[in-house]
Amino acid sequence: MNSTTGSLFMPPQATAIAANVDALYEFLLIASFISCVLVIGGLIVFAIKHRRKSEGEKTPYIAHNTTLEFLWSFIPFVIFMVAFVWGWIVFHQLRSMPQNALEIAVQAQKWDWTFVYKSGRRVAGEFTVPVGQDVKLIMTSADVLHSFYVPAFRTKQDVIPGRYTPCGLTPTKKAPSKFFVLNIAAINTPECSPKFTLSRARNTKIGCKRSPTKA
Amino acid sequence: MASTGHHDPNLNYLNWQKGLWSWLTTVDHKRIGILYMISVMIFFAIGGTFAMLIRAELFSVGKTIMDAKQYNQAMTFHGAIMVFMVIIPGIPAFLGNFILPMQLGAKDVAFPRINLLSWYCLMVGAAIAFTSLIYNGADTGWTFYTPYSVTTQNGTIWLVAGAFVIGFSSILTGLNFIVTVHKLRAPGMSFWRMPLFVWALYSTALLQVLATPVLAITLVLLMVERLLGVGIFDPKLGGDPVLFQHFFWFYSHPAVYIMILPAMGVVSELIATFSQKTIFGYKAIALSSVGIAAVSFFVWGHHMFVSGQSEFAGVLFSFITMLVGVPTAIKTFNWVATMYRGSIRFDSPMLYAMGFLFLFTIGGVTGIMLATVGVDVHFHDTYFVVAHFHYVMVGGTLMAIMGGIYYWMPKMFGRMVDETWARISFVLVFVGFNVTFFPQFILGAMGMPRRYYDYLPEYESLNKISSFGAWTIGIGFLIGLGVILHAIKRGKPSGPNPWNSKTLEWQTPSPPPHENFHVQPVVTAGPYEYR
């Protein structure tokens, strides 16, 4: 993955998997665009071409067309299945836990995050990993539902009280990525959102600040 | 078929009894439909006001007009009112109540008193829900996710209790419609001669009866946990918060179809009538309603791709969600094909039907994007999801409600709407809608989380555009309200069937008499015989 630029409107890519997510996103965008052009285009063309010229016009009785109905059932089904299988492959990559990864215990709470490294180092509100290092986060919450979301990593995982939820990632670039701490249930408070990623020469450092500041 | 020979032509359901009490105790499905119309319009105005306030707050970075707590409450009430009090009862209970028995050739629904009870359930439930405002309101969002909802401010319990009572309104309406469709069809009206609006309401009713009790049980469990401290969803009490999400979405995803299936039924009626053409693929559209309803019970997990459910579960729910896309696509293609070689008139109901097709197509394809689990991880809980469900719920359901009101206005009140103003209202709503929600797809792709009180400075310009769009929609709906009130008071008399429609409700005077038909109709052909 050479580019840190995301696909159309997507954030920069800061993990290898981000490029795979974006490729699928591009496929879906193109397929969606073509579908919209066909349906909305047909709608507009028929609306113009068959507008009523005089009251009492007779219209033909066209109740169905088996071939056409088969085609417009089967073709979308095939496209949906392509999207499904591709999505499955990407999802499997997103959810695969890297072997021999750096394990970091993560605890979310209103309104901060604590990261505990294997060495016993405990850091509140700041998350630092070396570029290229496989990382496995083992996350739990002290109070309500939270969500770990780094747009540039294309990864997101709810953090649930009473459970340990894993999340694997491998940062490949230093990136001006925003780190959002979503609080699903309590929605949000100004002091918990948004939080920012800081970039350093060798490390991806995700900082947690009280108020928005440019990285 | 409908002879008025031995009946006073000046008597109809509006004037055969007089006084407020006659309305509050009525068991006439048409009057109950009008009661729903008034209630839903009031609730829509309240929910819409919250939407305007939300967009005003999001107009700029930082505090604009309210603080975070007030914002969370505005968002919660906007969602809860729009879902439970507007969109769910909007088409089935309002338009469905008025139209379904007449389309079947029946005098009323099967259980008229239960029908009135269902309206009172809505009103009592709404009153309980609004009591929440006295107790500091609620700030959980309309989803009431645990464990936050177990611990947050006291108003939440009132909102939950209100939603519980409103659920009975939905169940009773669904039960009534199922029995009515099975037992009260006119002679000659086989299932394959039922209008597609009836098919859509029938499919919806199955969902209302089978899915809503699960929500009711879930909300009771939530209240038991909160009031009695019994551990069900709160991990501190030994409960599981993800269990709540499973229960909640087991109802609330089918609820999405409770909202959209009736809208699809309205659109089928509008497109056939205003194209003056037999609907293309009648059986496919009818069966796809039932198919969507059936499959919708098995897709709830797509709301939980990042909740911690297993990878296998995520993949399975993604697959089943894709399957819902097929009957939905079939319907869309059939509607467009119906217009082919039609005789199309662009009255305001048809404009709304075309607006529905435009917006629902975008809502549909973005639904497929969200069903694709690999990219949903990024889009989940961002504005992409907000844009998607507004394209489906507002772009779909509200467009259909407006189109349906303008279409059946002559039937309900015997009067026509002012076409010029109705079209102006449509243009403002349609353009405003796209200006509001299309930028939100981009914001979501950029990673802007939903539900947030504040956002990063780089999201500000798109948020400003979105807010301008929302206010345009607001103006459009205000004009629409004026059009409806003007039509009721001063609209031109419509005659019994101004659109030359073929379904049974148009084969009786407008407004209809108390028991709908002076003579029992006998059905000898399908509902869309325009040849």
Side-chain angles (χ1 to χ4, degrees), chain A residues 9 11 47 50 52 57 59 61 63 72 92 149 156-158 160 178 180-182 184-185 187-188 193-194 196, chain B residues 139 148 276 278 281 306-307 311 334 341-346 377-378 380 445-446 449 451-453 456 458:
Chain A
F9 305 123
H50 303 301
R52 193 171 304 176
E57 282 176 340
T59 55
Y61 181 79
W72 72 38
H92 180 68
Y149 174 37
K156 184 183 289 132
Q157 181 62 57
D158 284 4
I160 301 156
K178 284 91 192 171
F180 293 113
V181 184
L182 305 182
I184 292 172
I187 305 167
N188 77 309
S193 67
F196 288 84
Chain B
D139 63 350
Y148 185 72
Q276 289 288 293
T278 305
V306 301
S307 71
E311 184 184 332
N334 280 325
R341 295 180 66 190
S343 172
I344 302 167
R345 219 171 95 166
F346 301 102
V377 172
H378 175 67
H380 187 88
M446 291 165 74
R451 302 193 182 97
Y452 269 42
Y453 165 65
L456 297 171
E458 53 260 47

Side-chain angles (χ1 to χ4, degrees), chain A residues 126-145:
Chain A
E126 194 170 285
F127 170 48
T128 310
V129 284
V131 169
Q133 169 72 55
D134 290 335
V135 178
K136 184 178 179 183
L137 305 175
I138 300 166
M139 306 187 289
T140 191
S141 166
D143 39 45
V144 296
L145 300 177

Side-chain angles (χ1 to χ4, degrees), chain B residues 75-203:
Chain B
M75 204 196 60
T76 300
F77 278 92
H78 166 68
I81 291 168
M82 287 303 200
V83 170
F84 294 120
M85 301 178 206
V86 177
I87 300 183
I88 287 180
I91 296 183
F94 157 36
L95 290 174
N97 244 317
F98 199 102
I99 301 301
L100 177 128
M102 284 195 287
Q103 285 199 329
L104 291 172
K107 290 179 180 177
D108 208 310
V109 292
F111 308 116
R113 286 183 180 81
I114 288 180
N115 201 18
L116 181 63
L117 176 63
S118 73
W119 179 73
Y120 277 105
C121 283
L122 174 66
M123 299 313 288
V124 171
I128 294 170
F130 284 119
T131 304
S132 167
L133 289 168
I134 301 169
Y135 294 92
N136 280 332
D139 63 350
T140 59
W142 78 277
T143 51
F144 309 121
Y145 267 21
T146 56
Y148 185 72
S149 55
V150 182
T151 54
T152 186
Q153 53 213 53
N154 292 334
T156 304
I157 201 75
W158 290 94
L159 193 56
V160 169
F164 172 78
V165 175
I166 289 171
F168 284 97
S169 169
S170 193
I171 293 169
L172 295 176
T173 299
L175 179 72
N176 229 330
F177 284 3
I178 291 171
V179 179
T180 305
V181 167
H182 277 278
K183 304 303 289 184
L184 296 186
R185 299 193 310 278
M189 178 165 285
S190 64
F191 262 63
W192 293 124
R193 285 179 178 166
M194 291 195 312
L196 288 166
F197 185 50
V198 174
W199 271 102
L201 288 172
Y202 180 71
S203 309

Side-chain angles (χ1 to χ4, degrees), chain A residues 144-159:
Chain A
V144 296
L145 300 177
H146 296 267
S147 182
F148 178 85
Y149 174 37
V150 185
F153 293 171
R154 306 289 190 274
T155 196
K156 184 183 289 132
Q157 181 62 57
D158 284 4
V159 183

Side-chain angles (χ1 to χ4, degrees), chain B residues 375-399:
Chain B
V375 292
D376 181 78
V377 172
H378 175 67
F379 289 140
H380 187 88
D381 272 332
T382 69
Y383 266 81
F384 195 96
V385 178
V386 177
H388 158 72
F389 72 69
H390 279 89
Y391 262 84
V392 176
M393 297 292 95
V394 184
T397 307
L398 280 184
M399 284 297 211

